[in-house]
Amino acid sequence: LSEQYKGIFEECANQIWSTPELNFTEHKSHEAAKKCMEDLGFEVSMLPDMDTAFIATAGHGSPVIGILGELDALPGLSQKADCDHLDPVESGAPGHGCGHNLLGCGGMECAYILWKYLEENNMEGTIKYFSCPAEEGGVGKLYMIHRGAFDDVDFCVNWHPGAGFGITHD
């Protein structure tokens, strides 16, 4: 299943890479991700007063599984693709130094594959992909919490590169 749809997520990741946007201004990235999820059959809803955050939902019943995705870029990290040395597209402009173009789209692919797995195996479960703005220095998820975005979620999965591995719970 993943190979069948691989091109859709690669195209979205490349589009987001080519239009890096800083926290709370991820409009082009948000629209690309939103369109991708709608095209795949997810129902997309916006969060109140947050024009760069959405929830894409598929499936039915419990558990409700949340998958988080970030799309924002970092200041000053403009970089040409497929280049192993510093070579900015535009000097001083933002870029995807943490790979949020990949993390956000990887989360979308995970949500899609999980939804299709549940469907194919006649299992219940609701999958919610959260397009989370401002991971880099803007605490976008906190704003989403205050708007009730995660109220009905049983658990969330997030991934981000780092120096270690950890599981947290509340």
Side-chain angles (χ1 to χ4, degrees):
L1 183 61
S2 181
E3 286 297 316
Q4 181 181 355
Y5 292 93
K6 181 179 173 183
I8 293 169
F9 300 106
E10 284 181 356
E11 181 180 325
C12 187
N14 288 337
Q15 185 174 354
I16 293 167
W17 170 272
S18 69
T19 57
E21 301 160 299
L22 298 175
N23 58 19
F24 293 116
T25 67
E26 311 95 331
H27 299 286
K28 291 176 185 172
S29 300
H30 167 84
E31 285 303 316
K34 183 177 169 236
K35 181 181 180 331
C36 182
M37 295 306 276
E38 287 172 336
D39 289 351
L40 291 168
F42 281 74
E43 180 182 316
V44 175
S45 60
M46 303 300 296
L47 283 168
D49 303 318
M50 292 188 78
D51 60 356
T52 59
F54 68 80
I55 304 169
T57 305
H60 63 278
S62 294
V64 177
I65 303 165
I67 299 173
L68 308 180
E70 292 110 12
L71 303 173
D72 58 326
L74 289 162
L77 291 182
S78 176
Q79 177 66 17
K80 291 180 182 171
D82 298 321
C83 184
D84 65 356
H85 62 280
L86 180 60
D87 191 5
V89 174
E90 180 183 341
S91 185
H96 286 286
C98 277
H100 286 187
N101 64 309
L102 301 174
L103 296 175
C105 292
M108 292 189 308
E109 186 172 12
C110 177
Y112 182 73
I113 290 169
L114 185 53
W115 170 40
K116 290 303 173 183
Y117 177 85
L118 293 174
E119 259 189 355
E120 290 172 7
N121 291 283
N122 199 28
M123 298 170 71
E124 285 206 6
T126 302
I127 309 304
K128 291 191 172 199
Y129 172 82
F130 295 89
S131 174
C132 305
E135 191 271 338
E136 297 292 351
V139 293
K141 291 178 196 76
L142 182 61
Y143 291 97
M144 294 173 75
I145 289 168
H146 288 299
R147 286 164 175 78
F150 305 106
D151 286 355
D152 67 343
V153 176
D154 292 307
F155 66 93
C156 279
V157 178
N158 189 34
W159 64 304
H160 200 287
F165 174 77
I167 297 175
T168 58
H169 58 86
D170 197 1

